[in-house]
Amino acid sequence: IQLEEAPIREYLTSNITMLKWMIAEGYGERRTIERRIASMENWLEAPVLLEADPAAQYFETIEINLDELKEPVLCAPNDPDDARLLSEVMGEKIDEVFIGSCMTN
């Protein structure tokens, strides 16, 4: 896959706007969000697109059989690696919900 620069610029610009709004609303860790904004702005100043290496060899391939998932998987706030099964968080108070993926803004 080779992505084009224009849609990435549009996505990052939109994301920067959203992150600045999040800071203004007091959401999350301000310094973490500011670092994300700075990284995106740096890329916009000197964009470099990654390209797949057709000769690449992978250290490991992880296969996930989606037929084995019997309940929804949720991610805790601010950390997509903190994934939990719905049954693990049942009964906990939920203040905020986001439906989508890490690439959705």
Side-chain angles (χ1 to χ4, degrees), residues 6 26 36 53 60 67 76 95 97:
R36 290 179 184 173
D53 178 354
E60 181 179 11
D67 289 334
D95 294 316
V97 174

Side-chain angles (χ1 to χ4, degrees), residues 1-8 43 47-54:
I1 296 175
Q2 177 62 48
L3 300 176
E4 294 182 21
E5 185 179 324
I8 297 170
W43 188 89
V48 175
L49 297 174
L50 300 177
E51 294 182 27
D53 178 354

Side-chain angles (χ1 to χ4, degrees), residues 38-89:
S39 292
M40 288 183 239
E41 289 174 336
N42 289 339
W43 188 89
L44 289 169
E45 289 176 17
V48 175
L49 297 174
L50 300 177
E51 294 182 27
D53 178 354
Q57 294 183 346
Y58 296 95
F59 175 76
E60 181 179 11
T61 300
I62 299 173
E63 293 187 22
I64 300 171
N65 182 349
L66 297 179
D67 289 334
E68 294 176 5
L69 292 178
K70 303 301 180 198
E71 61 183 294
V73 178
L74 306 118
C75 292
N78 302 316
D79 185 359
D81 291 329
D82 187 2
R84 306 174 193 177
L85 296 175
L86 179 61
S87 60
E88 295 172 4
V89 297

